[in-house]
Amino acid sequence: ACAPDGESDADWVDCVGGNEVGTGKRCSAACNGECCVGASGTAACSYATMCIKKDGSCNGEEACTNVANGYPRPGKPFISGPSCVGIQACSGLGLFAADVPDFVTD
């Protein structure tokens, strides 16, 4: 997993291209209702490459759909807070960007 130092891996989902690293599950399934929750028929985190905390982040229709997608880069942004809540929240954050900052709210 991709948890930051001092945090439990069980509280985070490591996503690449919308799938959890190591299991191949969709990130939304790996979150088990604790993150990447979209409206019926819409997929949150569909193509995202990020480390997302199971704290309510990326909740909403098509939320975080393309976070950091489309560009090879070292590391992944951390999304926690909860952050990126609402319809299409953060859906294009870092799309095709060389560097994507962490998106964390307290």
Side-chain angles (χ1 to χ4, degrees), residues 37-76:
V37 177
S40 178
T42 64
C45 307
S46 296
Y47 305 102
T49 296
M50 63 188 169
C51 299
I52 183 168
K53 190 165 188 178
K54 296 178 183 177
D55 65 354
S57 290
C58 295
N59 285 356
E61 182 179 335
E62 297 181 8
C64 298
T65 302
N66 281 302
V67 170
N69 185 31
Y71 197 95
R73 67 182 58 80
K76 299 177 192 89

Side-chain angles (χ1 to χ4, degrees), residues 4-43:
D5 291 341
E7 296 210 26
S8 170
D9 285 343
D11 294 333
W12 291 80
V13 177
D14 188 357
C15 297
V16 173
N19 296 310
E20 182 182 33
V21 172
T23 68
K25 286 185 194 176
R26 300 297 300 158
C27 293
S28 55
C31 282
N32 199 29
E34 298 179 72
C35 54
C36 296
V37 177
S40 178
T42 64

Side-chain angles (χ1 to χ4, degrees), residues 7 55 80-83 103-106:
E7 296 210 26
D55 65 354
S80 68
S83 298
F103 199 77
V104 178
T105 59
D106 293 321

